[in-house]
Amino acid sequence: MRETKTIEFKETISNTFLKTVSAFSNHEGGEIYFGIDDAGNIKGLADTKQACLDIENKINDSITPQPDYTLELQNNDRTIKLTVKSGMQKPYLYKSKAYKRNDTATIEMDTLELSRLILEGKNIRFEELPCKDQDLTFDVLHQKLKKTIQIETFNQDTLRTLNLYSSNSGYNNAAGILADKNHFPGIDIVKFGENISVIHKRATFDQVSALTVYEKTLEVFRDYYQYEEIQGADRKKVEIIPETAFREAIAHALIHRVWDVEAQIRVSMFEDRIEIVSPGGLPTGITEDEYLAGKLSILRNRNLANVFYRLGFVEIFGTGVLRIRQLYEGGATQPEFEISANTIRIVLPVFEKNLELTEDERKIYAVLSRTMLKSMGEIAPYVPFGKSKVTQLLKDMNQKGIVRIEGKGRGTKYVIR
């Protein structure tokens, strides 16, 4: 056993463990083992019964409000296991400060994290707080509702029904995010050329309705990843990247992002992929595995999500990741989802049908799909076999018409056709 984000060792009983009790109570809970050193070596305690009383007294006297915990004596090795559960009355403070876990360390929360925790303890979300701007108009929202669900009358009762307005506090932040003009960040789009030093276009949409941001972003997408193909008398729309997948990813970014930071959603467009990075990791109460498998959906901005759902911008809540994956079934490359503490990153590759590649060829293809041209030296470090086998695989893929070889000798480059 080793120390993790939810497990900590303490060789002796000192007040330092109280910071970790605060951290575990404020987040997902955890276990503290007394009588074990930092390396995981069992040292034992001289008097486990007295130690239990000391631990209990320190917690009861120092943590407010009272955390939910249990103590277990491990008599065989004279250690104590303290199990701390995630609390319902956040924040849990030690000496008037709130703590969190950062990998295996316990650190003090900053002001923004503490304010979020206070809202969580009161079961209030940022989008439900009164908006600092109360002089708002909603022409965009009105027109979308009129077109989608034939709402003719639009007034404060309509906004009240959508949980965007109350008589006591006026417009909330969700209303502000949907208002025609506001103070909220939006989306920053960059279309790159053959490398990140070449920028073909940059567009920023912010301080306007999230509905406008959504539509404007789709327009940029269509300019670069769709074209028409003439077949006889008919015109056929060709999608280089599935528009439905992009719609899901952008709606997901707007609905699930944190809105209390001045950071834009970043959309990076390349020849072979689109990367969408939204501020804010997963909300409390859901794991990365549950998110990626679509087993559980926790809406960070439920009022905003409800409007997007009513307008038909999203399907059933919680199915976005699964729908994106389904749209790439049969594709040679698959979308990627990367979760960190403060961001969610979605990568949508150019859709190409399964090319009947061997397992080894698929590894080469995955490397080539990330950039336009690759030399042997740029490919070999990222595949689990030597240069001679890489060379042979590339020759085989060239004969299949999948890879094109350009140049000769050391200047040879390989590119997906």
Side-chain angles (χ1 to χ4, degrees):
M1 189 165 58
R2 60 183 180 82
E3 287 191 317
T4 67
K5 193 172 184 178
T6 57
I7 295 176
E8 181 163 283
F9 300 144
K10 292 293 183 184
E11 186 173 350
T12 59
I13 301 169
S14 64
N15 288 342
T16 58
F17 85 90
L18 294 167
K19 296 179 181 179
T20 305
V21 173
S22 165
F24 287 162
S25 298
N26 285 328
H27 292 92
E28 301 303 315
E31 299 168 347
I32 303 174
Y33 291 84
F34 296 90
I36 302 178
D37 66 18
D38 292 341
N41 301 311
I42 297 175
K43 300 296 184 179
L45 299 167
D47 187 342
T48 54
K49 289 186 178 181
Q50 182 59 46
C52 272
L53 290 174
D54 292 342
I55 294 167
E56 188 172 356
N57 289 333
K58 286 179 180 293
I59 293 174
N60 294 342
D61 293 343
S62 304
I63 305 292
T64 54
Q66 182 71 37
D68 186 357
Y69 67 93
T70 58
L71 285 164
E72 298 177 51
L73 294 176
Q74 314 288 310
N75 291 321
N76 291 338
D77 51 22
R78 294 182 295 110
T79 61
I80 296 172
K81 175 184 175 183
L82 169 62
T83 302
V84 182
K85 296 181 181 179
S86 178
M88 300 294 291
Q89 298 175 289
K90 300 179 177 73
Y92 290 83
L93 307 177
Y94 169 60
K95 291 187 176 179
S96 301
K97 296 179 180 179
Y99 292 86
K100 67 174 184 176
R101 292 287 278 179
N102 183 14
D103 196 14
T104 60
T106 300
I107 61 175
E108 185 181 347
M109 288 185 185
D110 61 30
T111 303
L112 177 59
E113 291 170 318
L114 180 56
S115 65
R116 288 175 179 170
L117 199 64
I118 291 170
L119 291 179
E120 183 182 341
K122 296 179 179 179
N123 196 29
I124 300 173
R125 302 171 189 235
F126 175 79
E127 66 160 3
E128 298 169 338
L129 294 175
C131 185
K132 70 178 184 181
D133 300 324
Q134 289 293 312
D135 184 17
L136 303 175
T137 60
F138 300 91
D139 291 338
V140 173
L141 176 59
H142 180 196
Q143 293 305 316
K144 293 292 183 185
L145 290 171
K146 183 177 179 179
K147 180 180 178 180
T148 306
I149 52 180
Q150 288 77 52
I151 288 182
E152 293 291 341
T153 303
F154 186 90
N155 50 35
Q156 287 186 346
D157 287 336
T158 310
L159 295 169
R160 189 179 286 108
T161 301
L162 294 171
N163 294 318
L164 303 177
Y165 177 85
S166 75
S167 301
N168 294 329
S169 55
Y171 300 118
N172 58 26
N173 281 327
I177 292 165
L178 293 165
D180 299 326
K181 294 183 179 180
N182 55 51
H183 66 276
F184 290 102
I187 291 180
D188 184 32
I189 305 174
V190 179
K191 175 64 174 70
F192 294 100
E194 56 269 23
N195 57 60
I196 58 174
S197 298
V198 179
I199 296 177
H200 288 167
K201 181 173 182 175
R202 182 159 197 168
T204 302
F205 309 117
D206 62 358
Q207 297 187 356
V208 293
S209 172
L211 305 176
T212 302
V213 172
Y214 175 77
E215 294 290 356
K216 292 290 186 182
T217 302
L218 288 178
E219 290 175 10
V220 176
F221 167 83
R222 292 180 187 125
D223 285 343
Y224 290 103
Y225 297 95
Q226 291 181 1
Y227 63 91
E228 286 190 342
E229 198 173 74
I230 300 174
Q231 298 178 347
D234 299 324
R235 290 178 178 268
K236 178 185 177 183
K237 185 176 76 171
V238 178
E239 297 181 347
I240 300 173
I241 289 176
E243 180 177 318
T244 304
F246 184 73
R247 282 176 172 272
E248 287 283 349
I250 292 300
H252 181 282
L254 289 166
I255 290 171
H256 292 285
R257 66 157 291 167
V258 292
W259 287 95
D260 55 359
V261 295
E262 290 296 324
Q264 295 165 325
I265 296 167
R266 192 174 73 246
V267 178
S268 303
M269 295 180 167
F270 301 90
E271 296 297 323
D272 62 325
R273 70 193 186 281
I274 297 176
E275 298 182 3
I276 301 154
V277 180
S278 56
L282 294 176
T284 303
I286 183 172
T287 66
E288 182 174 340
D289 289 342
E290 289 168 338
Y291 164 79
L292 294 176
K295 294 179 180 178
L296 183 64
S297 175
I298 296 179
L299 293 172
R300 177 177 276 123
N301 306 294
R302 54 193 169 197
N303 296 337
L304 187 61
N306 179 54
V307 172
F308 270 62
Y309 174 69
R310 286 172 179 261
L311 295 175
F313 291 168
V314 294
E315 298 291 333
I316 302 170
F317 296 145
T319 62
V321 173
L322 294 181
R323 280 173 55 77
I324 291 172
R325 290 190 188 280
Q326 288 171 358
L327 289 162
Y328 275 86
E329 284 183 357
T333 52
Q334 296 297 307
E336 300 174 16
F337 301 87
E338 181 183 297
I339 315 298
S340 70
N342 298 309
T343 60
I344 294 178
R345 175 174 171 266
I346 299 176
V347 180
L348 302 177
V350 167
F351 184 86
E352 294 173 312
K353 290 184 179 179
N354 196 320
L355 302 171
E356 302 297 330
L357 300 173
T358 67
E359 190 63 33
D360 289 342
E361 288 172 344
R362 199 174 297 280
K363 293 172 183 175
I364 299 286
Y365 189 93
V367 175
L368 287 175
S369 67
R370 294 182 193 136
T371 55
M372 292 295 290
L373 288 169
K374 284 282 188 181
S375 66
M376 176 63 66
E378 292 171 312
I379 298 170
Y382 297 97
V383 291
F385 24 76
K387 289 187 177 181
S388 59
K389 184 172 181 177
V390 173
T391 302
Q392 185 58 52
L393 288 168
L394 287 166
K395 287 181 179 179
D396 294 343
M397 293 169 75
N398 174 250
Q399 291 177 353
K400 291 180 180 180
I402 297 168
V403 170
R404 184 173 73 250
I405 301 176
E406 298 183 358
K408 293 182 179 180
R410 292 185 177 180
T412 302
K413 298 282 187 178
Y414 304 90
V415 62
I416 293 173
R417 288 184 183 274

